[in-house]
Amino acid sequence: MNIRLLLFITLFTGISTHPLLAQESDTFGPSQAHYVWPTEASRYLSSTFGETRAAHFHAALDIKTWGRKGYEVYATRDGTVDRVAIGPRGYGKVIYLKHDDGSYSVYAHLLAFNDELQQLADSVRFADNYQFEIEKFWGWRNIEVDQGDLIGYSGASGIGPPHLHFELRTPSHKPFNPLLTNLSVKDDIPPQIRGLSVEPLSLRSTIEGENAIFTKKAKLKNGSYSFGTITTKGPIGLGLNAFDQSNNVHNTYAVYELKLNVNGEHTFSSRVDSFSYGETHQMFIDRVYPLLKNMDKGFQRLYIADGNSLPFYKTDKQNGVLNLPVGTHHVTITTKDYYGNTSTAKLTLKVSEDQQQKKHQIFTNRNSNPGIVSPDQWNWFSDWVTIPYSQYEHTTIGLADGEEFTEHTNGIAVNLKGQKSIYVNTPETGPLQLYRINPKSTSFISSADQNHFAIFPRQTFYDTVSVGMSVNSFTQNTLTVDLIPNAYPVKEEYAFYTARDSTLSNTAKLSLYHYDQEDKEWELIPTSFTNSHIIGKTETLGHFSLKKDQKAPELRNPRLRQRPDGKWIIYINILDNLSGIDYSKSKIFVNDDQGIAEFEPENNRFVYYHPNFVPTPSMKVKVIAYDKMGNKTEQIFELENKE
Ligand SMILES: [Zn+2]
């Protein structure tokens, strides 16, 4: 090695306590700073860094607290309190510490802060009209903590069951894997491989004859996995469903590294050390989105999909896309956990001759047979759609002259690339124009009758997609809106505008809702009314409806409890039929003493919290609760102290 270079490296690591944080380097190496384990609860993890969450990557380690609350939480390094926040969702009660190298540590889902911070937070909340929610940047207060100091107690505030979410961030708030520091867990168990996905990456591509996403379960034999032989045609992309485990606990984790080799050549690898919050929604395209959405299974793509700019990957020139010549190819997929425990899966790809594609002009097939499924169920891809034969029978499709389509065993693949729009008419949707939307520019689409429209700003989608809008209105305040197909992840909020019925005068308690297919419930979306339009704002495609919520929430079952930190609280169950609880307006008094109405949406309950609350033999509990449409419930309970 060149001596000058060696000297430079020595000097550099000598002055930087944390090379990870040097500039905004994309190279992440183990930190030099010393961290202490942040809780007494356990040395075990319930989640690792980079796992799949609803709409992002998990940015931390989740430390097991055995389903209980109240374990001590410690400062991992010396630092100052940068920020505290309390809220009903996300991180719940959370502390952010700032360290001398500019980096941060984050402790989330707490039950409570330490006495000093809790008193400070409570005084702010009481002064602010008994507000539950706060977010305070307290760097200016210069509240110092030493490494190992008690800063709070573990809990279950925000999302999820009891655990400690422990997150480390660079000075520019990029989360990085805490295992890159001196912190470690015991893990000598290799990852387990569950399944393989194969995606067709052109309308000519097939897997076992079908132009559809193919999945196959792994077979384990003598410690290694096999997917057998799969017959394909045309360009494809592989994906792997795998998980890791560590010693002594049953939790399953994300794997740390994935590698794809084809005929002995490296084609793709991925390693999750860090990402930025601006990129975290790209989880949707790092994973096979349709399988995530429909099966709730995280297949990690072994190629880089269009629109993916995450820093995890090293690939060949094809970005991991396999466009292999006719013949037999040997594929090896290797996955590792953070400690280098490795599992391998083998697979043989038999690539067959690409058939001649057929040209067609306009085809029409109609009959009156009802019971057809929505175009949502077709196989939608960025550049084409494959329509099952059973559906195709009932569908009219209008295409420009000379557009190609290809017959597969599972349906007919219709090219969308290069088209401005495509016309479809099914019994389910009626006439529908699907427009091509390029994420590089703002796009405008309208319903077939031109009365309703949606505007997709630049970058609403990751890739070029085809979207149509179908609106039905029967009476003045019934309205359903479908943005079809619900097959593409949405990156940014967009708005749709529906023509307002001229006879609709009273819009009180009316709002648009999105139907969440997974949770099977309606969720309120931001809605506004102009003289001519009803406007909805959303971050998803799918089914929307205008609904009136005139029913107040219901209160039930007040009960006294003592928290693990000794504080007395009262739980009151609350249920709302539609719009959801407006906790910011809700109030709770016990014996005429107003406390803070903390709201736990996952448990459908309020918590009466007052730092000085001491139960009396008989208590008068008065609750004033609102839903988001302003419907109000006021109720007084007599509560006996049976504790
Ligand atoms: Zn977490």
Side-chain angles (χ1 to χ4, degrees):
M1 187 191 247
N2 180 313
I3 287 177
R4 221 176 274 165
L5 185 64
L6 185 71
L7 206 84
F8 173 76
I9 290 169
T10 315
L11 257 173
F12 182 76
T13 51
I15 51 167
S16 166
T17 54
H18 206 308
L20 194 73
L21 311 176
Q23 298 300 305
E24 269 307 297
S25 159
D26 274 346
T27 49
F28 289 85
S31 164
Q32 307 294 301
H34 182 76
Y35 292 76
V36 300
W37 194 258
T39 177
E40 60 169 345
S42 82
R43 279 276 183 166
Y44 298 113
L45 304 181
S46 52
S47 295
T48 54
F49 188 83
E51 288 183 13
T52 310
R53 290 295 185 267
H56 61 269
F57 288 111
H58 188 235
L61 299 180
D62 283 351
I63 299 172
K64 270 180 96 75
T65 61
W66 314 107
R68 294 193 286 272
K69 306 172 193 175
Y71 290 104
E72 293 190 346
V73 173
Y74 312 118
T76 190
R77 292 171 61 188
D78 293 352
T80 55
V81 175
D82 186 59
R83 175 177 163 195
V84 296
I86 297 178
R89 293 174 199 281
Y91 286 1
K93 296 177 182 168
V94 54
I95 298 172
Y96 297 74
L97 299 183
K98 187 171 185 174
H99 307 295
D100 61 0
D101 55 8
S103 74
Y104 299 87
S105 57
V106 184
Y107 313 79
H109 311 304
L110 301 176
L111 173 76
F113 306 143
N114 70 14
D115 289 347
E116 182 190 4
L117 290 174
Q118 191 65 50
Q119 277 165 23
L120 207 50
D122 288 346
S123 65
V124 169
R125 296 201 292 171
F126 276 82
D128 185 20
N129 198 20
Y130 302 86
Q131 269 309 311
F132 164 36
E133 211 166 10
I134 59 166
E135 176 159 30
K136 291 289 167 195
F137 291 84
W138 278 348
W140 58 273
R141 286 184 184 267
N142 209 25
I143 304 167
E144 291 186 5
V145 293
D146 289 338
Q147 184 172 54
D149 276 358
L150 172 72
I151 55 169
Y153 300 91
S154 72
S157 56
I159 299 291
H163 70 277
L164 175 66
H165 172 104
F166 173 63
E167 182 171 329
L168 298 179
R169 296 183 180 181
T170 68
S172 61
H173 287 282
K174 279 188 176 180
F176 60 90
N177 191 341
L179 294 178
L180 291 164
T181 69
N182 64 296
L183 299 174
S184 66
V185 295
K186 187 166 167 48
D187 180 358
D188 48 32
I189 301 173
Q192 294 182 46
I193 294 172
R194 276 175 178 153
L196 178 82
S197 64
V198 190
E199 291 174 89
L201 296 180
S202 82
L203 85 166
R204 296 174 287 109
S205 303
T206 61
I207 303 100
E208 302 293 356
E210 298 198 348
N211 183 267
I213 299 169
F214 174 89
T215 61
K216 191 169 186 179
K217 280 190 180 145
K219 282 204 174 114
L220 180 62
K221 212 175 173 183
N222 303 327
S224 73
Y225 294 86
S226 168
F227 293 110
T229 299
I230 297 172
T231 304
T232 67
K233 197 175 70 184
I236 54 164
L238 302 180
L240 195 74
N241 181 221
F243 64 91
D244 187 38
Q245 288 192 295
S246 67
N247 298 56
N248 306 319
V249 283
H250 293 291
N251 301 77
T252 58
Y253 314 123
V255 298
Y256 176 61
E257 270 187 274
L258 288 167
K259 272 196 182 117
L260 174 65
N261 267 50
V262 179
N263 301 322
E265 300 278 326
H266 169 261
T267 56
F268 174 93
S269 61
S270 153
R271 195 173 92 181
V272 185
D273 285 330
S274 179
F275 55 84
S276 72
Y277 274 96
E279 297 165 329
T280 191
H281 291 300
Q282 292 186 35
M283 182 277 291
F284 282 134
I285 50 171
D286 174 80
R287 306 311 205 240
V288 182
Y289 179 72
L291 298 178
L292 190 68
K293 189 168 131 291
N294 300 328
M295 297 163 66
D296 200 21
K297 281 189 180 159
F299 286 81
Q300 291 177 255
R301 280 177 169 150
L302 300 170
Y303 70 96
I304 303 177
D306 288 345
N308 184 342
S309 63
L310 287 164
F312 305 162
Y313 317 109
K314 286 198 178 108
T315 71
D316 62 2
K317 283 196 181 110
Q318 281 70 47
N319 285 336
V321 169
L322 303 183
N323 196 358
L324 301 167
V326 171
T328 302
H329 303 275
H330 299 285
V331 176
T332 308
I333 304 166
T334 310
T335 175
K336 286 185 188 176
D337 64 21
Y338 187 79
Y339 295 100
N341 301 302
T342 304
S343 287
T344 298
K346 293 206 184 287
L347 150 79
T348 303
L349 284 177
K350 259 196 178 152
V351 178
S352 63
E353 201 84 51
D354 198 353
Q355 78 191 62
Q356 189 76 41
Q357 62 210 51
K358 298 190 176 181
K359 294 275 184 186
H360 209 271
Q361 295 186 334
I362 293 173
F363 48 84
T364 305
N365 260 305
R366 253 189 277 219
N367 70 32
S368 56
N369 195 349
I372 189 169
V373 301
S374 158
D376 261 348
Q377 316 287 317
W378 299 352
N379 291 290
W380 288 95
F381 299 89
S382 156
D383 290 338
W384 77 99
V385 54
T386 296
I387 305 167
Y389 288 110
S390 61
Q391 309 301 313
Y392 176 68
E393 291 290 307
H394 318 286
T395 303
T396 303
I397 294 191
L399 282 172
D401 266 11
E403 275 311 325
E404 62 184 305
F405 77 96
T406 306
E407 288 178 30
H408 298 293
T409 55
N410 63 316
I412 292 172
V414 178
N415 188 28
L416 302 171
K417 200 173 185 170
Q419 309 238 18
K420 276 211 168 85
S421 69
I422 171 179
Y423 170 86
V424 302
N425 191 350
T426 74
E428 171 83 14
T429 58
L432 183 66
Q433 200 78 29
L434 288 128
Y435 297 81
R436 291 292 277 170
I437 296 169
N438 184 326
K440 291 195 183 110
S441 54
T442 298
S443 301
F444 174 96
I445 73 169
S446 64
S447 60
D449 62 10
Q450 309 287 314
N451 287 333
H452 317 280
F453 59 94
I455 299 171
F456 298 103
R458 286 181 67 244
Q459 305 294 332
T460 300
F461 297 98
Y462 294 95
D463 201 352
T464 302
V465 297
S466 307
V467 178
M469 183 179 188
S470 160
V471 177
N472 283 295
S473 180
F474 312 105
T475 64
Q476 59 168 3
N477 59 12
T478 60
L479 175 72
T480 64
V481 181
D482 286 280
L483 284 137
I484 296 171
N486 189 10
Y488 308 118
V490 178
K491 198 168 161 185
E492 301 286 350
E493 187 179 75
Y494 70 93
F496 60 80
Y497 298 72
T498 58
R500 175 174 172 169
D501 189 302
S502 59
T503 63
L504 173 62
S505 53
N506 181 10
T507 60
K509 302 191 177 181
L510 263 184
S511 186
L512 285 162
Y513 292 78
H514 168 248
Y515 188 68
D516 184 329
Q517 279 174 319
E518 212 174 308
D519 296 341
K520 306 226 179 308
E521 60 186 26
W522 293 97
E523 4 171 83
L524 186 75
I525 65 165
T527 305
S528 51
F529 295 87
T530 67
N531 288 337
S532 54
H533 289 92
I534 304 172
I535 305 159
K537 285 189 176 168
T538 174
E539 278 181 56
T540 179
L541 299 172
H543 185 61
F544 302 85
S545 180
L546 189 66
K547 292 181 175 291
K548 192 168 228 166
D549 181 0
Q550 293 178 294
K551 200 164 171 261
E554 279 176 45
L555 296 163
R556 271 182 220 156
N557 192 21
R559 56 213 185 271
L560 180 70
R561 292 287 184 272
Q562 192 169 23
R563 290 196 324 201
D565 65 347
K567 292 261 189 288
W568 289 94
I569 51 170
I570 292 171
Y571 288 129
I572 303 118
N573 287 3
I574 181 154
L575 277 175
D576 187 63
N577 64 319
L578 197 57
S579 60
I581 304 302
D582 185 351
Y583 53 84
S584 67
K585 279 169 75 182
S586 301
K587 294 180 169 66
I588 310 179
F589 302 81
V590 174
N591 299 334
D592 299 321
D593 241 349
Q594 184 172 4
I596 291 166
E598 300 198 336
F599 178 54
E600 298 183 357
E602 289 189 336
N603 299 314
N604 295 311
R605 70 189 180 195
F606 273 126
V607 181
Y608 170 82
Y609 168 84
H610 192 299
N612 305 326
F613 172 46
V614 181
T616 54
S618 174
M619 289 160 280
K620 188 177 86 173
V621 181
K622 180 172 153 190
V623 185
I624 303 166
Y626 292 86
D627 70 12
K628 287 179 185 153
M629 288 294 112
N631 298 301
K632 176 185 173 186
T633 300
E634 185 169 340
Q635 210 168 331
I636 294 172
F637 299 92
E638 295 295 332
L639 183 63
E640 301 296 312
N641 180 3
K642 295 173 202 150
E643 294 288 322

